[in-house]
Every structure is written in structure tokens, then in C-alpha cells.
Amino acid sequence: MTIIDETAESPAPDGSGDTGRPLLEVRDLHVEFHTRDGIAKAVNGVNYSVAAGETLAVLGESGSGKSVTAQAIMGILDMPPGRIPKGEILFRGQDMLKMSGEERRKIRGSKIAMIFQDALSSLNPVLSVGYQLSEMFRVHQGMSKKDAKVKAIELMDRVKIPAAGDRVNDYPHQFSGGMRQRIMIAMALALEPDLIIADEPTTALDVTVQAQVMDLLAELQREYNMGLILITHDLGVVADVADKIAVMYAGRIVERAPVHELYKRPAHPYTKGLLDSIPRLDQKGQELYAIKGLPPNLLRIPTGCAFNPRCPQAQDVCRTDVPPLHPVTERDGTELAGRGSACHFWKETIHG
Ligand SMILES: Nc1ncnc2c1ncn2[C@@H]1O[C@H](COP(=O)(O)OP(=O)(O)OP(=O)(O)O)[C@@H](O)[C@H]1O
Ligand SMILES: [Mg+2]
């Protein structure tokens, strides 16, 4: 049986043929939470990587471990109750889990930045937006108050806040949700990080504003050649911006693929279910498909494939054996680059 070697170096996304190390590599990451009721296994062997200029979308239902993985990368997990019993998080080849607190903080401050869903609770309500942006430059780069303010206005311009110069002294609550999210993006960009992790950056916004903010993020990412990890449970959002997708279920990656291939030909029944539950304009009036059942309780993950109780294709082997991430191939055995499926019946799923 072939199992994907997740540690293999990936080709450069710019097509240059360079096979440099990815910017970030998560290897066999495990995270558990010690709770009163027992050990909740939130992340159970996640592998993914992202290169400079590349966007990885991480997808999955609520509770699948998307944010916990991101928190582990950022070094902001609550420990305790959280614990990382196993795994590596390599940033430019160096394991951040082995670094000192000081080294870690340096990377977190300037090399990896995070954008959260809820700007209102991430920004300080009693400080002006300009002050909060300026502070990034004053604290991290020792800039003078005056220079930092000029930079703050520049950044507000970059994220397309109209009349930035006039609004620099406004407070977070004086901005609309979409504008606040742009300010969050500005904060993340301030120190020109190599990698941005955006955790549901547009979920709280209405649909048209969502698209604008997502487009802006994608534009800036290209311009700065940053790596981007985009966490979402909305398949509709990622189609235009991501290069590749990792689908998570119960703390594992169940499928990974270049974005358009995943949409065209899913190789895991869970991905299939997610795709079938997207509303489509050409099927108006039809009842929307929903995956039956609920994600598992992480204190008692089902044996075998964690998805088996909800899977329309489940057989006996699915209830006993955990499926590894198989390479996905064409019918004739030609390997499909970057594709993998953790389903015993991936062939039947993709080729019918
Ligand atoms: N501090 C904590 N203590 C105990 N359990 C936690 C803690 N943080 C997260 N968890 C658990 O870890 C699991 C994974 O959570 P996570 O936030 O990663 O989900 P998610 O995939 O980001 O979901 P969502 O789409 O809802 O944001 C959840 O069951 C959650 O309850
Ligand atoms: Mg989350």
C-alpha cells in the first residue's frame, strides 16, 4: 500500500521548478485538551504545507480542528488545557515547537500574522485605529510617533479605506464590519510577514462585502508574495482565491487537492457531501442536500474512519481500520499531483 509522503518537498507554485522548502510545514500534528470529561482529541495527525505566494484553504465543519491547528502554529494555544503530544511545525525548516519563547515571539510578531473572524473583539475599543496601527511600527521597528502615523495612513490606503487620512483617529466602532476587517488586514500586513493565517476572515460579513474583503486579501497576498492559510467552512469562498485545499474532519486531513480538481472530482465522500450542500443558482427550488448526522464527539471518536457513521458508502472495513491518506490516481494509475484521500474507497468515489 502506498501512503503519501507528506514530507516530500513540493515544487514552487510559481512554476519556476525550484523545489525549495515550503515556508511552513505542519507534520503529524496532534493536539489534545484535557477536560473534566476526558481527553478531547482535537487534532489527530495533521500534515500540510504552504509555500511563499501560495494559498492553502483549510476547510471543514465546525469543530474539525481548523482553528486549533492555526493556534498551534501561532503558539497561542491554551496550554493547559491544551497539549501537543506529537508533531512538528516547521517554519523555513525550523521546528517552532522546539524554539524558546523568545524566538517564537519574534516569528509570531513579524513573520507570521493572523487575522481573526471578529475584528471588533480583536481591536481595542478605546484606542483609535490609527494609534493601534502606529503602535505596530513603534513597538516592532522603533519608529517615531510621527513617522508611524504616516505609515498607518499609508496602510489604511493600501487596504482601501476611503479618506484614510481623515479617519485615522476614528475608533473601531465607527467603522463598518467590512472596513474593520480591512483594518485587521492592515494590522496583519504592517510588518510585511511571510505568512498570514486568516481564520474565517469574512464569516461575520454580508456576502458582497465578503467578496470584496477576500479579493483584497488575495490581491495583497500576490503583491507581497506571502503564503496564506485561509480557514473557512465555506467552499464557495475559496474557489477563486485558493491554490490548494485541505479538507479536515475530526482533526485529520481527509482530502487534499489543487482547488479546481477538488471541485470537479472529489475523492472523499465527505468532500462530496460538502460540495453537494452548496446552494446552486441553477437548481433553484430543489431541496438542498445536507450530510446526515453530526461531527463526532472528540472524546469518543468512532473507530476506523471517523466519518463512517455518516458516510453513505461505509463498509465493514471503514468501521475497523483508519484509512491513511492514499495518493489519488487516474484510472490508469497516473498519479494526480498534490492529491490525496483518506478513504478506503477513494477509487470508487472519484471514478464511480
Ligand atoms: N481551550 C479548549 N479547551 C477544550 N476544548 C477545546 C479548546 N479549544 C478548542 N477545543 C475543542 O477542539 C475542537 C476543535 O476546535 P476548533 O476551534 O479547531 O474547530 P474549528 O474547526 O475551527 O471549528 P469552527 O468552524 O467552529 O471554527 C472543538 O471540539 C473544540 O471544542
Ligand atoms: Mg474555528
Side-chain angles (χ1 to χ4, degrees), residues 95 135 234:
D95 189 355
E135 212 171 42
D234 185 350

Side-chain angles (χ1 to χ4, degrees), residues 24-343:
L24 181 91
E25 260 185 283
V26 175
R27 289 187 185 172
D28 197 26
L29 184 72
H30 292 250
V31 181
E32 55 191 34
F33 292 99
H34 290 244
T35 70
R36 249 195 337 213
D37 302 322
I39 298 175
K41 299 200 164 175
V43 177
N44 300 298
V46 162
N47 293 282
Y48 61 54
S49 69
V50 62
E54 188 178 48
T55 298
L56 163 72
V58 181
L59 205 87
E61 280 167 297
S62 191
S64 56
K66 306 180 297 293
S67 297
V68 167
T69 306
Q71 287 158 12
I73 296 169
M74 283 303 281
I76 54 171
L77 264 183
D78 291 329
M79 301 211 276
R83 208 172 81 82
I84 301 180
K86 201 174 163 195
E88 291 175 318
I89 301 174
L90 307 178
F91 183 73
R92 297 193 179 284
Q94 279 202 306
D95 189 355
M96 294 200 286
L97 295 177
K98 295 206 178 84
M99 288 180 184
S100 68
E102 180 63 21
E103 286 174 302
R104 197 77 200 268
R105 263 192 301 279
K106 265 193 203 144
I107 291 184
R108 183 162 72 224
S110 56
K111 306 274 191 235
I112 308 181
M114 191 151 174
I115 302 170
F116 297 93
Q117 172 180 338
D118 181 5
L120 207 48
S121 63
S122 311
L123 293 166
N124 189 330
V126 299
L127 298 172
S128 76
V129 155
Y131 182 89
Q132 293 181 64
L133 279 169
S134 307
E135 212 171 42
M136 300 289 289
F137 300 111
R138 294 175 53 200
V139 171
H140 290 274
Q141 298 178 346
M143 249 184 223
S144 73
K145 219 170 158 175
K146 203 170 139 216
D147 290 348
K149 190 162 176 186
V150 172
K151 284 285 270 188
I153 295 172
E154 245 175 60
L155 260 183
M156 287 171 73
D157 262 334
R158 291 291 299 111
V159 297
K160 302 183 180 156
I161 302 221
D166 298 334
R167 304 217 56 186
V168 66
N169 295 322
D170 285 356
Y171 292 87
H173 74 268
Q174 293 172 290
F175 291 85
S176 67
M179 288 298 151
R180 271 199 297 269
Q181 212 55 6
R182 285 166 193 269
I183 290 160
M184 285 297 292
I185 294 175
M187 298 270 271
L189 281 176
L191 304 173
E192 302 191 12
D194 298 330
L195 176 71
I196 288 194
I197 303 175
D199 192 351
E200 309 268 6
T202 61
T203 306
L205 308 174
D206 67 52
V207 179
T208 41
V209 181
Q210 266 186 13
Q212 291 161 4
V213 171
M214 199 52 77
D215 286 347
L216 172 73
L217 191 57
E219 181 189 321
L220 293 166
Q221 183 231 356
R222 271 194 301 276
E223 199 182 308
Y224 289 75
N225 198 38
M226 295 178 295
L228 175 64
I229 298 177
L230 179 64
I231 297 171
T232 176
H233 50 244
D234 185 350
L235 260 168
V237 167
V238 298
D240 298 328
V241 293
D243 297 300
K244 59 184 190 182
I245 296 194
V247 180
M248 283 188 74
Y249 190 80
R252 299 186 71 212
I253 307 267
V254 293
E255 177 160 15
R256 59 170 199 164
V259 65
H260 295 294
E261 292 200 32
L262 187 106
Y263 281 79
K264 256 191 285 178
R265 294 196 295 172
H268 196 288
Y270 178 60
T271 314
K272 229 175 170 166
L274 288 178
L275 288 169
D276 287 342
S277 43
I278 303 178
R280 284 174 46 176
L281 287 174
D282 57 341
Q283 290 178 352
K284 240 183 174 167
Q286 276 189 29
E287 204 175 319
L288 204 58
Y289 175 82
I291 303 173
K292 66 170 191 193
L294 292 171
N297 178 344
L298 299 175
L299 295 167
R300 281 180 293 280
I301 296 177
T303 53
C305 170
F307 186 58
N308 88 70
R310 305 173 71 188
C311 182
Q313 284 167 237
Q315 312 279 325
D316 285 345
V317 62
C318 308
R319 290 181 265 276
T320 51
D321 296 7
V322 177
L325 197 69
H326 299 278
V328 172
T329 64
E330 292 290 5
R331 275 178 205 281
D332 66 6
T334 318
E335 197 161 320
L336 291 163
R339 292 207 62 165
S341 165
C343 174

